[in-house]
Amino acid sequence: MRKKITVVGGGNVGASCAVNLALKELGDVVLVDVVEGVPQGKGLDALQMGPIEGYDVSITGANDYEQTANSDVVVITAGLARKPGMSRDDLLIANHKVVSSVAENIAKHSPNAILVLVTNPLDAMCWTAFTASKFPKHRVIGMAGVLDSARFRTFIAQELNVSVENVTAVVLGGHGDTMVPVVRLSNVSGIPMTELIPKDRLDAIVTRTANGGAEIVKHLKTGSAYYAPSAAAVEMVESILKDKKKVLPCAAYLEGEYGVNGLFVGVPVKLGAKGIEKIYEIQLTAEEKAALAKSAGAVQELVDILKKQ
Ligand code: NAD
């Protein structure tokens, strides 16, 4: 029997997720949006790619949760996206309301699902979904690090004119300007990056990575990135549904790891059939620890606002 994947939010990221999920034949897809007709239309369009691309999965659209029942994985992309001049944090209260109601509906219809959060501000929205769904922590996972590290890898590969496949990058922390690309642990086919790229260039690449989302918002003017974000979410879904046990940077609920308590922050995790199967706690330098603490502090500030809602 095929797996069932619900994607909530049929906008740019959600619709691209549906297409990428189908292209990988990961399961039947239900696309949910509040706007009548949009998920139905986009779902039908994506379904009609099947004969061309050769996938045999169903893709349907809905405005409620009946059709989503007993989903294995639910990707949550519903909410507002950034416009120029907005930070991810500007979306906090509006998206908190959206994600709370989505998570409650999902918990009702798919009590055993694994949630993959995409909606921004990402780490705070993971907390919202965790609280609203009451799911165990290993079944609530945030997508940010896979995207942030893909951006870092892209810029490194461009700089060195090498294959992106050879570039491995570690990015920790919250999904925001305070994210922590860990240069020390990033490499090109095992060769430390610090031996290949001078410090000033590396610093510039780290800064460009941290501002990677804003760079795209500035170009697009009416929205934010969606091709790479949807591919990143689908890589996580694939690792879960195929039980690949990939080690990926994801937002996970920390209870003491890295000195963080009661918050979702980006760390390396093992993703398999159970969701987060392991959190890797790696030794950090004093400077990296301080940067991670600052990033976690920024997430804490948002969660503190939500706790007063
Ligand atoms: P979009 O505006 O294109 O799509 C959002 C969709 O959500 C819209 O179709 C809207 O109708 C729908 N929606 C709103 N409220 C809903 C509800 N209650 N139930 C169901 N659907 C609802 O935006 P997008 O570009 O697809 O981005 C979606 C979210 O993902 C944004 O919050 C954006 O900031 C975030 N994002 C996160 C990352 C990341 O790295 N985590 C990357 C890119 C985008």
Side-chain angles (χ1 to χ4, degrees):
M1 199 160 119
R2 288 189 211 137
K3 298 289 187 183
K4 184 167 176 180
I5 308 147
T6 287
V7 180
V8 189
N12 284 333
V13 178
S16 303
C17 274
V19 168
N20 284 321
L21 290 164
L23 284 169
K24 287 182 174 258
E25 275 191 327
L26 292 179
D28 291 334
V29 180
V30 183
L31 189 60
V32 178
D33 201 287
V34 280
V35 182
E36 239 174 80
V38 163
Q40 292 84 350
K42 291 189 182 181
L44 186 58
D45 187 12
L47 183 70
Q48 292 166 355
M49 262 174 78
I52 302 163
E53 295 294 343
Y55 50 72
D56 288 300
V57 293
S58 93
I59 309 167
T60 50
N63 299 115
D64 59 36
Y65 289 82
E66 298 300 320
Q67 283 185 50
T68 69
N70 299 318
S71 292
D72 297 287
V73 176
V74 177
V75 183
I76 302 180
T77 76
L80 304 179
R82 281 197 285 172
K83 304 241 160 48
M86 284 174 92
S87 79
R88 293 179 179 91
D89 299 355
D90 291 336
L91 308 170
L92 184 69
I93 303 296
N95 284 353
H96 170 68
K97 288 184 186 144
V98 169
V99 171
S100 296
S101 92
V102 170
E104 279 166 17
N105 274 306
I106 293 298
K108 198 164 133 203
H109 292 87
S110 300
N112 300 314
I114 293 173
L115 305 183
V116 174
L117 270 296
V118 179
T119 306
N120 274 320
L122 188 271
D123 309 273
M125 291 306 101
C126 290
W127 182 88
T128 297
F130 176 60
T131 312
S133 66
K134 301 190 174 62
F135 281 4
K137 61 177 182 175
H138 62 276
R139 287 203 277 126
V140 182
I141 314 158
M143 187 292 289
V146 177
L147 171 64
D148 295 331
S149 62
R151 286 179 172 151
F152 194 38
R153 290 167 65 195
T154 304
F155 299 145
I156 296 289
Q158 266 185 343
E159 179 79 10
L160 295 171
N161 192 23
V162 298
S163 167
V164 287
E165 289 184 54
N166 290 145
V167 184
T168 306
V170 177
V171 178
L172 300 175
H175 183 51
D177 308 340
T178 57
M179 73 179 76
V180 189
V182 188
V183 171
R184 186 177 57 88
L185 300 175
S186 305
N187 66 73
V188 179
S189 286
I191 308 167
M193 221 158 261
T194 41
E195 293 203 14
L196 299 170
I197 303 178
K199 186 172 179 320
D200 60 327
R201 282 301 306 151
L202 262 177
D203 288 347
I205 291 171
V206 164
T207 303
R208 191 175 176 196
T209 301
N211 298 320
E215 186 177 350
I216 291 175
V217 172
K218 210 169 144 204
H219 284 302
L220 293 179
K221 297 180 185 69
T222 55
S224 58
Y226 50 100
Y227 293 125
S230 61
V234 170
E235 183 181 19
M236 291 166 62
V237 175
E238 182 177 35
S239 189
I240 293 165
L241 290 179
K242 292 187 177 169
D243 196 22
K244 283 174 81 83
K245 304 195 190 296
K246 277 192 174 181
V247 178
L248 297 169
C250 299
Y253 189 73
L254 301 184
E255 288 179 302
E257 298 92 343
Y258 294 97
V260 177
N261 223 327
L263 281 185
F264 282 81
V265 174
V267 292
V269 303
K270 188 200 288 182
L271 279 193
K274 296 190 185 77
I276 293 181
E277 298 189 350
K278 185 177 169 64
I279 293 174
Y280 294 90
E281 198 171 1
I282 49 178
Q283 285 291 334
L284 298 178
T285 64
E287 201 184 333
E288 289 159 359
K289 266 188 205 155
L292 184 60
K294 185 177 171 212
S295 188
V299 178
Q300 181 77 61
E301 278 179 28
L302 299 185
V303 170
D304 286 345
I305 296 171
L306 295 182
K307 282 182 177 166
K308 290 187 202 128
Q309 288 298 300

